[in-house]
């Protein structure tokens, strides 16, 4: 197993971090368990553009992010955040990065080759490397299309065979991709995160509290003028009083 660690200053851009990580990932042997951790100064609890770019790079390289965005890794007097990341890629267990059932090891290797050629083309700016990336990407897209069509044909064939034995098999409801109902714990955690937010630090002084805004009283003349400006043939409110009633009263 290989262990990766690193630190990036807050002013480092997502592109700089991705280029460094890609260079390190290219030196890792295939099918080798790897775990990485470090202070990337990238707030995944906020979900900004920098965080999304870095997470996409980690996932595309075949790694799984282990962090929970709701669990802060940095806590101080003026706030908290999740900027320290932990990710791994263990070939000893079933790959958890598979999104599609037909995305096998061949697809993973082709995707890795595409990413390597992409970063090499960005670094060099050479036309030859750019053409190589274009060809590799076209090959990868064709592979995905072929794998998807093969999987769909195989699934249709199995469904036809099941229908021959049991005609009601095609009428069975398919497995839902997501839970039909949320658990009460999920609701409690969601609303606790929204409603129980509080700022850490000193309480504001009484003198700094916003003062209530006072408005002048509404006069009878202003009230009559507002009633005259009301439009006719409008729906009544909860009191069931129409604008025409107010004008005629």
């Amino acid at each position: 197993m290989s262990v990766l660690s690193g630190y990036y200053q807050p002013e480092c851009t997502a592109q700089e971090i991705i280029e460094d990580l890609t260079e390190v990932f290219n030196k890792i042997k295939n099918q080798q368990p790897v775990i990485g951790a470090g202070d990337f100064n990238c707030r995944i609890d906020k979900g900004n553009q920098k965080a999304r770019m870095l997470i996409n790079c980690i996932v595309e390289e075949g790694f799984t992010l282990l962090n929970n965005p709701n669990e802060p890794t940095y806590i101080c007097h003026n706030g908290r955040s999740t900027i320290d990341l932990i990710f791994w890629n263990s070939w000893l267990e079933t790959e958890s990065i598979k999104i599609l059932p037909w995305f096998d090891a061949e697809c993973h290797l082709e995707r890795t080759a595409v990413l390597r050629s992409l970063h090499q083309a960005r670094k060099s700016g050479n036309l030859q490397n750019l053409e190589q990336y274009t060809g590799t990407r076209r090959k990868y897209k064709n592979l995905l299309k072929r794998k998807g069509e093969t999987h769909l044909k195989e699934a249709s064939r199995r469904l036809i065979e099941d229908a021959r034995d049991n005609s009601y098999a095609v009428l069975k409801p398919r497995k839902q991709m997501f839970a039909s109902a949320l658990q009460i714990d999920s609701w409690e955690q969601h609303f606790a995160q929204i409603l129980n937010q509080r700022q850490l630090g000193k309480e504001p002084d009484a003198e700094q509290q916003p003062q209530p805004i006072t408005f002048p009283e509404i006069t009878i003349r202003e009230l009559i003028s507002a009633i005259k400006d009301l439009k006719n043939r409008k729906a009544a409110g909860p009191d069931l009083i129409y604008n025409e009633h107010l004008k005629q009263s």
Side-chain angles (χ1 to χ4, degrees):
M1 174 181 288
S2 298
V3 179
L4 308 178
S5 63
Y7 168 77
Y8 291 90
Q9 297 180 354
E11 56 269 16
C12 290
T13 63
Q15 185 65 30
E16 295 174 347
I17 300 176
I18 291 174
E19 290 180 357
D20 290 347
L21 290 179
T22 304
E23 184 178 357
V24 175
F25 292 156
N26 292 338
K27 297 179 181 179
I28 299 176
K29 298 180 180 179
N30 293 331
Q31 300 185 358
Q32 180 181 5
V34 179
I35 184 170
D39 182 2
F40 291 85
N41 273 299
C42 181
R43 298 195 60 175
I44 62 174
D45 55 325
K46 291 296 184 180
N48 52 23
Q49 182 67 18
K50 181 179 179 180
R52 287 192 293 268
M53 292 178 60
L54 183 57
I55 292 176
N56 290 338
C57 172
I58 292 175
V59 174
E60 289 176 354
E61 289 288 351
F63 289 84
T64 301
L65 186 66
L66 303 180
N67 286 77
N68 182 3
N70 298 325
E71 295 181 359
T73 59
Y74 174 77
I75 302 175
C76 64
H77 67 282
N78 59 352
R80 59 185 64 188
S81 60
T82 308
I83 58 177
D84 304 302
L85 306 184
I86 303 176
F87 51 90
W88 81 324
N89 178 21
S90 176
W91 287 88
L92 301 178
E93 298 181 359
T94 304
E95 296 181 48
S96 59
I97 64 170
K98 292 182 180 179
I99 301 176
L100 300 173
W102 44 264
F103 195 92
D104 52 10
E106 183 181 2
C107 297
H108 175 73
L109 293 177
E110 287 295 334
R111 180 177 61 181
T112 303
V114 171
L115 292 175
R116 289 178 178 176
S117 60
L118 172 61
H119 293 298
Q120 185 176 1
R122 286 180 176 177
K123 278 187 175 181
S124 63
N126 190 354
L127 181 60
Q128 182 178 359
N129 292 335
L130 182 60
E131 293 177 353
Q132 182 180 359
Y133 161 70
T134 304
T136 308
R137 185 174 182 271
R138 186 183 299 110
K139 180 181 177 182
Y140 173 63
K141 292 294 184 181
N142 293 334
L143 175 64
L144 294 182
K145 183 179 180 180
R146 186 173 68 254
K147 291 284 185 178
E149 293 176 351
T150 303
H151 175 77
L152 184 59
K153 291 180 181 179
E154 183 65 20
S156 301
R157 184 187 63 80
R158 290 196 301 265
L159 184 61
I160 294 174
E161 292 180 356
D162 294 340
R164 291 174 180 173
D165 300 334
N166 182 9
S167 58
Y168 294 99
V170 294
L171 303 178
K172 292 182 179 180
R174 297 183 178 180
K175 184 178 179 181
Q176 295 183 353
M177 300 299 295
F178 53 87
S180 58
L182 295 177
Q183 299 295 330
I184 188 63
D185 296 339
S186 301
W187 285 110
E188 291 178 355
Q189 182 180 2
H190 172 70
F191 284 105
Q193 181 182 1
I194 295 178
L195 302 178
N196 295 339
Q197 291 182 352
R198 60 187 181 87
Q199 295 182 353
L200 301 178
K202 297 181 179 180
E203 295 293 336
D205 298 335
E207 298 179 355
Q208 298 179 355
Q209 292 287 350
Q211 300 297 328
I213 302 176
T214 57
F215 295 94
E217 295 183 359
I218 300 176
T219 62
I220 298 298
R221 180 177 299 178
E222 292 174 344
L223 180 60
I224 295 175
S225 177
I227 293 176
K228 290 181 178 180
D229 292 338
L230 294 176
K231 296 182 179 180
N232 297 330
R233 304 181 65 181
K234 295 297 181 181
D239 54 2
L240 301 180
I241 300 177
Y242 291 86
N243 294 342
E244 291 83 354
H245 297 160
L246 296 175
K247 291 182 176 181
Q248 295 177 6
S249 61

